[in-house]
Structure formats: C-alpha cells, structure tokens
Amino acid sequence: MIVGTAGHIDHGKTALLRALTGLEGDRRPAERARGITIDLGYLYADLGDGQLTGFIDVPGHERFVHNMLAGACGIDLVLLVVAADDGVMPQTREHLAIVELLGIPRALVTLSKCDRVGAQRVVEVREQVAALLADGPLAGAPVFPLSSVTGEGVAALRTALLAEARRLQARSAAGHFRLAVDRAFSVAGAGVVATGTAFAGQVRIGDELLLSPAGLRVRVRGLHAQNRAAQSARAGQRVALNIAGERLTVEHVQRGDWLLAPALHAPTTRIDIDLQLLASETRELAHWTPVHVHLGAQDVTARIALLEGERLAPGGRGFAQLLLNAPAHAVHGDRLVLRDQSAQRTLGGGRVLDPFAPARDRRSPARLAQLAALRGEDLEAALPVLLETASNGLVPQALERQFNRAPASWRLPDGVQEVLTRQGPRLFLSDRWTQLLAELHAALARFHAEQPDELGPDRDRLRRYALPQLERPVFIALLEQALAAGSIQASGPWLHLPDHRVQLSAEDEALRSRLWPLLEAGGFDPPWVRELAGELQVEEAAVRLLLRKLARLGLLHQVVKDLFYPDASLRRLATEARRLQAETGTIRAASFRDRIGIGRKRGIQILEYFDRIGFTRRYGNERKIRADSALALMTEGEG
C-alpha cells in the first residue's frame, strides 16, 4: 500500500509520519533548516503485518503544491492532516480538492496537535472536517484525534492503516509497464536510478524500457520494490530502477518523465479529457484559457479548448481538449489536475479519454459521441460507438496504447472485421466496409456517366471523387479488394467498371496505326504533336484529339502539353528510375538525365510527371519512389 499525506503547511504531516513509523522522512538540508517540507519525502515501514507500507510526505506550502501533485499520483490512501489548533485552512481545502480530482479512493483524517487544545476545540474541528467532506466522495472518512508529541491516538491510527492495507486489493498487473518518474539520482558504482510509482504492468531485471518522451532506450540493471531489493516489480508499488543506456546520465532523466514498455511510447501534445471545474471557482472557465497540467509527475503548460461551448460554469463538467506545450504520455482513465496560468490556484481536473486527440472536427457530433462513449471504464464499453463513428476504421496499435490493453485481451463485438492496409491493420464494422464498397462502385458508375469518353480515373482521382474522407491506405485496401473480386478493372493506371469501354472510330483506328510506330520509335524522346502532324500530313488538331483519347484509354501518357509517351515507354522510364534509386539511394534530375540520355529539360518534365501521378515524391532537389503507387506496383521486380 502507498499512503500519501495532505494538508496545510505546519499541520504536522512530517511529525505524524515520524510518530507512526519511527523513521525520519527523506528530507533535504534546506528543509531541515526551514523546518518545512519543500519536496517529496519517502519512507517505508512495517506497521505490524510483515509488509512494507510506503509513505509519501508532501509539502503543504502553497508555493510547493506542484511538488505535492508530483507525489499524489498513484497513491492508494490519503492521510488528511488537520491541526486541531488551526482547523481547516486554505491548503487543506486545496489538497482535498486535488485528492478528489485524482480519484484517490480512500482517506483517513487525523486531527493533529490535540495536546495543544481542549476537548471542545477537538469537537469543533471534527465538525469542520465533517462539513468539508460532506459533499464529496470521501464523506464519512474516519477521524482520528491524536498527538505526535505525546503519542496519544497514534496506535489507533496505525491499526486503521493496517485494516486498510488488508482491505486493499492488489492492483492488476495487466497491461504494459509504465512508471511515472518523480526523482532521479546517481549512485556511485551503480549509475542512474529513477524512482516513481508503477501505474501498470510488471518489470523485471533485464527488461528494456523507453525513457519517454525522449525515446531513449534503457535496460533495467537492478530494482527495488517498496524499498526492498527484488527481481521484479508491479503496478501499485513504489519502485526504484537502476537503468543503463547508451551515454545515459542522470541529467537525461527528469521529474515528469515516464519509463515505459516500448509498445506504449507515443508522446502526444493533444489530449481529450472529461473536465470537472471546481465549484469553488468564482468565475466561468473560458475557451482557450492557459493552464498548468499535472499528469503523472509532469507539470506542463497548455491551453484548454472547450468542446461543448465557449465557457464552463463553476462546478460544471464537459469535454475539453488540452493543447500541451510539451509532449506527454497518457492512457485512457489517467487522472490529471489543472492549475491556473500562474500556478497559484487549482482550477479543476479531469480524466483522460483520448491521449491522441484529433486536431480537426474536434467539436463534430461524431467526435462528441465518441467522447461520450469513452467516459466508460473500459475499451469494450466504447468500441461499438468508436467503430460506428470511425470513418477510417480503428487502428489496433493506437487502441492498445490508448487503453494499455494487449489485443489478445479484447472482446470485440460481433460483425467486426480486420482490414489489412499497407500501414497496418484497421478494424471496421463489416456492414460499414460493405457500404464503402457499394459507394465506390456507385461513384465509378457516376463518373462513367459524366465522362463517357474517358476510360476512367486513376486511383488518386477516384479517391478524391468517390471517398475523399478515406485515408489513402484504407482506400487502396478497399480498391484492391474490388480489383481482386473483378468488380472493378484496371487498364493501365485507369480504373473502370468491367462493362465500360471507350471505342475508337474507324478513322481514329486508321490514324492510330500510322502514329503508333512513330511514337514507339521515339523511345525516351518521342515526337511532339506538331512533328507527328507534319510527318503524316495531318492537321495538328486531329492528331492532338486522337492522342488525348488514347491517353484516356491508358495507352499513352501526356507528360506535358502535346508530348505523349506510350505506356511501355513510360514503364521503361520508371524502371530506370527504380534502378537509379537502388544504386544511389535517391533520384536527382542530373543523374536521371544522364541515365536516359536526353536533355535536362525533358528529364525534369518526366520527373515532374512522375510526381503528379504519385510515382515519386519530391524532397528538395531529390526524389524517392512511392512504393504504394500504381506505377511502382506495375513495374515491381523490373528494377
């Protein structure tokens, strides 16, 4: 069990832990000199059950609430300390609000310094505490009057803590390992040590982890769990990990970092949350308010984008998106606390719904429906709505990270199918996938009706025309299924329904038979329209019209105006580009020009055509072949 203290400055939190455990907290020289807790202190003690209980002593001063928040994540039970002479004070209220926002499930209240007051004052403060807790989730928490100086009441509190420890169920160790780092230091002869609370999963000596958000790969050389040397540690324990990595120093590890299983490393700067504004706020929270976000042990500045209006009233609840100014790690269900821009006042808090929130359409009805579904506790509760509203399906890897649930443990609803795309699998409702296929066929039929003299569009044009909302990998998977089934056919790069044809007239066929040998003989430098017309003594307009028809049939490619390449010639050019990239790692205009033996201007025209049809992608003065382009697939194995 991990126990954390909470309460106003100088209400006796550190003295209480010393009386409970007989141990002095981990206090720094500045704290001893000033007599207050500035940073987190940790100690471990056996309260009588043979098990070590971890205690986190947090600062009570308002200037150090951010330190308190770094230690509050992951505790099982809070000791709310209220001095009998002072009674409830401002930091008592703020700490209690933070405890409630973080969803800490259990609390014990101690009335400290009872040796300084009479019995009537103890009764008065007990009533204050009862009124303070009455409207919250910790209402009715047991109250223990005591004195850390005389020891009166300490034994009763220790007995209650033991009962809580027996009642506490061990946290599930399911999911990938994640630990919120709240301290890092160097040990002579051992190296870097990072400590924190394990939020999920298990870790063993020898495991490889990633230090997030930096993405540094580290190996676990040794570990302590609940202050004892161990071979493994699990969720719910205070853990110290001795880690090693390439050129790793203690300066690389900061409070707020995470040590994660590699599958969870996906830093984010947009998080959708279920936001709760404190009722004690005196004014509404406005859209785009700057805040401090406390998540795990991290403190990062951000702005709040309200998703259901421009303002949120005190005590109100609603969906919001946090736009963080630095990358963070989170999973569904994580609790966070928001403080004002100056970090002087706690505004409210929330629960993470989606750590990979979208930048666009974040207020759309479909997105709000998804967030409503994500208010549930687990993946299965949200899946039906997520599948129904996900126009591009669900990415299993993203769901695994969002919920920290391995796919093997999912219980998918009926009627779900996995679609393999070139960027990994997607989950779709089978009915939705069938509907997309029908929409694709209907759109292609509509295109044929609108453009009867064209054989059909290429892939990218068809996606923009038929299903622009689909991401390219999903559209390609849909199209490939239709092509494999024969319900759509390809003639060169052009796509069409099986019964659609563009026919040439007898005159066109006669002219084509005369033009074609000249185009083929031109190789990589075919004649221009005017040259063809002059050679055959035919009007330029007639030649141009026929060549454009042949291009729509997929037999020619119009690289620039009045310059057409036979499909076979263009495929040979694509093969040369493939070979050039294989030899040099990239495609440069000068190298391509030299390889095909034509002028620089023509070489650039061909490369720009490759860019337009999606065969290549330009990066400055270089190009790379797009492996999933239609031309790349048709020439695969020829390079």
Side-chain angles (χ1 to χ4, degrees), residues 538-587:
V538 178
E539 290 185 4
E540 281 189 33
V543 173
R544 186 177 295 111
L545 179 60
L546 176 60
L547 293 179
R548 288 178 178 172
K549 284 185 179 180
L550 295 174
R552 287 195 290 268
L553 286 169
L555 301 175
L556 292 177
H557 295 264
Q558 185 174 1
V559 173
V560 292
K561 182 182 178 182
D562 285 357
L563 182 64
F564 295 81
Y565 277 74
D567 185 60
S569 299
L570 196 82
R571 291 196 192 199
R572 290 200 300 273
L573 286 168
T575 299
E576 293 300 328
R578 271 184 174 279
R579 290 172 178 163
L580 180 59
Q581 178 172 297
E583 294 168 7
T584 65
T586 189
I587 302 169

Side-chain angles (χ1 to χ4, degrees), residues 279-362:
S280 58
E281 281 298 286
T282 58
R283 58 188 177 187
E284 295 178 323
L285 179 73
H287 176 73
W288 212 240
T289 296
V291 294
H292 279 259
V293 179
H294 294 268
L295 174 60
Q298 186 176 17
D299 173 5
V300 59
T301 57
R303 284 191 181 269
I304 300 178
L306 298 177
L307 304 183
E308 298 178 285
E310 296 301 316
R311 294 186 175 275
L312 186 65
R317 179 185 180 190
F319 297 128
Q321 186 172 110
L322 298 176
L323 285 78
L324 308 176
N325 293 322
H329 161 78
V331 304
H332 176 272
D334 280 353
R335 298 279 186 157
L336 51 83
V337 172
L338 305 178
R339 306 195 83 217
D340 71 333
Q341 185 177 18
S342 61
Q344 297 297 308
R345 188 176 82 258
T346 300
L347 303 176
R351 183 167 167 267
V352 173
L353 301 180
D354 188 351
F356 311 113
R360 303 175 66 179
D361 299 325
R362 60 191 179 194

Side-chain angles (χ1 to χ4, degrees), residues 27 80 350 359 376 402 418 521 539 586:
R27 299 183 64 192
L80 181 64
Q402 180 178 350
E418 185 177 82
E539 290 185 4
T586 189

Side-chain angles (χ1 to χ4, degrees), residues 90 103 107 112 115 223 236 286 300 365 368 436 533 540 560 624:
S112 63
D115 55 307
L223 65 83
V300 59
L368 294 177
L436 289 173
E540 281 189 33
V560 292
K624 295 278 191 180

Side-chain angles (χ1 to χ4, degrees), residues 18 75 79 172 207 215 248 298 314 388 424 482 494 551 601:
R18 185 167 56 246
I75 72 174
L79 279 179
S172 169
D207 284 355
L248 181 72
Q298 186 176 17
E388 187 67 38
W494 314 118
K601 182 177 180 180

Side-chain angles (χ1 to χ4, degrees), residues 64-395:
F64 305 118
V65 170
H66 63 284
N67 287 345
M68 179 267 183
L69 280 158
C73 62
I75 72 174
D76 300 303
L77 179 141
V78 65
L79 279 179
L80 181 64
V81 182
V82 181
D85 51 355
D86 282 344
V88 173
M89 297 291 282
Q91 257 54 61
T92 312
R93 298 181 185 278
E94 184 167 21
H95 281 208
L96 177 63
I98 289 169
V99 166
E100 292 177 351
L101 290 169
L102 290 174
I104 297 172
R106 298 285 296 169
L108 300 178
V109 181
T110 64
L111 302 186
S112 63
K113 305 184 180 182
C114 287
D115 55 307
R116 299 186 180 184
V117 300
Q120 182 58 37
R121 177 58 180 170
V122 172
V123 172
E124 291 173 1
V125 177
R126 185 191 287 268
E127 291 174 352
Q128 286 182 14
V129 170
L132 177 66
L133 300 180
D135 296 328
L138 300 179
V143 179
F144 296 86
L146 54 78
S147 168
S148 300
V149 175
T150 67
E152 181 182 357
V154 173
L157 177 59
R158 186 182 294 111
T159 300
L161 285 169
L162 285 170
E164 290 290 343
R166 286 191 291 269
R167 183 182 299 117
L168 181 70
Q169 293 183 347
R171 296 192 198 179
S172 169
H176 300 292
F177 180 74
R178 51 195 295 254
L179 176 140
V181 177
D182 52 39
R183 190 165 54 156
F185 50 89
S186 183
V187 175
V192 177
V193 175
T195 71
T197 301
F199 274 49
Q202 301 182 69
V203 65
R204 295 175 177 82
I205 294 175
D207 284 355
E208 283 198 350
L209 303 173
L210 286 181
L211 180 65
S212 188
L216 297 176
R217 190 172 294 276
V218 300
R219 182 174 57 84
V220 179
R221 297 174 57 185
L223 65 83
H224 281 64
Q226 296 292 87
N227 208 38
R228 288 176 175 169
Q231 293 296 308
S232 64
R234 56 181 289 142
Q237 294 180 321
R238 287 287 306 169
V239 183
L241 296 175
N242 177 204
I243 55 176
E246 186 175 357
R247 299 195 183 105
L248 181 72
T249 66
V250 72
E251 288 75 21
H252 289 122
V253 188
Q254 305 293 326
R255 172 176 288 177
D257 288 346
W258 292 80
L259 284 167
L260 304 172
L264 285 183
H265 176 64
T268 180
T269 56
R270 289 179 181 271
I271 300 176
D272 279 347
I273 66 170
D274 186 5
L275 171 64
Q276 178 72 53
L277 189 64
L278 290 178
S280 58
E281 281 298 286
T282 58
R283 58 188 177 187
E284 295 178 323
L285 179 73
H287 176 73
W288 212 240
T289 296
V291 294
H292 279 259
V293 179
H294 294 268
L295 174 60
Q298 186 176 17
D299 173 5
V300 59
T301 57
R303 284 191 181 269
I304 300 178
L306 298 177
L307 304 183
E308 298 178 285
E310 296 301 316
R311 294 186 175 275
L312 186 65
R317 179 185 180 190
F319 297 128
Q321 186 172 110
L322 298 176
L323 285 78
L324 308 176
N325 293 322
H329 161 78
V331 304
H332 176 272
D334 280 353
R335 298 279 186 157
L336 51 83
V337 172
L338 305 178
R339 306 195 83 217
D340 71 333
Q341 185 177 18
S342 61
Q344 297 297 308
R345 188 176 82 258
T346 300
L347 303 176
R351 183 167 167 267
V352 173
L353 301 180
D354 188 351
F356 311 113
R360 303 175 66 179
D361 299 325
R362 60 191 179 194
R363 289 184 170 187
S364 68
R367 181 58 184 168
L368 294 177
Q370 290 177 352
L371 295 178
L374 288 167
R375 270 181 169 155
E377 291 297 324
D378 56 28
L379 171 64
E380 283 74 13
L383 265 178
V385 175
L386 296 182
L387 286 163
E388 187 67 38
T389 54
S391 58
N392 283 280
L394 300 177
V395 181

